[in-house]
Amino acid sequence: MARAGLTTERLTRAGAELADEVGFEQVTVSELARRFDVKVASLYSHVKNSHDLKTNIALLALEELADRVAAALAGRAGKDALAAFADAYRDYARQHPGRYAAARLPLDQETAAASAGVRHAQMTRAILRGYDLDGDDQTHAVRLLGSVFHGYVSLEASGGFSHSAPASEVTWSRIIDALDALLRNWPES
């Protein structure tokens, strides 16, 4: 019988909080059981194993991030949309480092197709339509934006920009300006 009060959703949310505290890689069913002061076996009616728990956290993170990005993009276009999109990702990564790492968990094709990751791609492509990019150029631009945003956020989170001037915030703003200029003047294939 399942322990009263334990649900898959509650365990997923607690796992997400744990990921933000100790890092996504450190999240295990055993550690979660310690948090709830229950035996590991009590959790197995809700999660199959640590990978299942991590997948649930990844799906939660993708959903939360998609909701944030969608709210940030509402009513925006062009550079304003690009900046709102980028800032939503960066802010989420700063506020929820473990969840942000979870959102990068490789998912099987079926799970990925049913996840909020699809919304992320749709929102990115919607921004790029404002720059008159489509087809392969749009795909190249989606990959460029993802690489730049994730790379910057990862380096910033590891302290890579904390030892020199100018401030990271200034560089972030310049990157958005440069990306906007590049997208407006996308090179011909």
Side-chain angles (χ1 to χ4, degrees):
M1 174 180 240
R3 185 170 175 99
L6 294 180
T7 64
T8 302
E9 181 180 350
R10 186 168 179 217
L11 293 174
T12 300
R13 292 201 174 278
E17 291 170 13
L18 179 61
D20 287 339
E21 292 170 22
V22 302
F24 181 61
E25 291 303 317
Q26 306 307 313
V27 173
T28 63
V29 174
S30 297
E31 182 59 33
L32 203 54
R34 278 192 281 286
R35 293 275 172 125
F36 281 98
D37 195 26
V38 299
K39 293 186 187 301
V40 173
S42 300
L43 304 186
Y44 285 131
S45 60
H46 306 289
V47 293
K48 296 175 195 160
N49 51 41
S50 290
H51 180 72
D52 185 43
L53 173 62
K54 286 183 174 187
T55 298
N56 290 343
I57 296 167
L59 294 172
L60 172 67
L62 287 168
E63 189 72 36
E64 288 176 343
L65 189 50
D67 289 346
R68 275 197 188 196
V69 170
L73 288 176
R76 299 175 190 266
K79 182 181 175 189
D80 192 33
L82 177 66
F85 180 89
D87 289 344
Y89 271 88
R90 184 173 179 229
D91 292 346
Y92 187 81
R94 287 171 152 181
Q95 294 165 5
H96 300 290
R99 294 177 205 211
Y100 181 78
R104 301 289 170 261
L105 181 73
L107 302 172
D108 64 73
Q109 189 171 358
E110 184 178 330
T111 304
S115 77
V118 174
R119 286 177 54 207
H120 292 265
Q122 291 168 338
M123 289 184 285
T124 307
R125 289 181 184 281
I127 290 169
L128 294 172
R129 282 193 297 276
Y131 288 98
D132 289 326
L133 294 177
D134 55 18
D136 286 349
D137 285 338
Q138 194 177 82
T139 300
H140 298 315
V142 166
R143 292 172 181 169
L144 170 71
L145 294 178
S147 298
V148 171
F149 298 154
H150 177 65
Y152 195 88
V153 164
S154 297
L155 288 168
E156 186 176 48
S158 69
F161 306 134
S162 61
H163 306 295
S164 62
S168 179
E169 204 59 45
V170 174
T171 303
W172 181 252
S173 179
R174 296 290 304 269
I175 286 171
I176 301 304
D177 290 344
L179 287 171
D180 175 63
L182 173 64
L183 294 170
R184 281 187 283 111
N185 299 294
W186 192 260
E188 294 293 321
S189 299

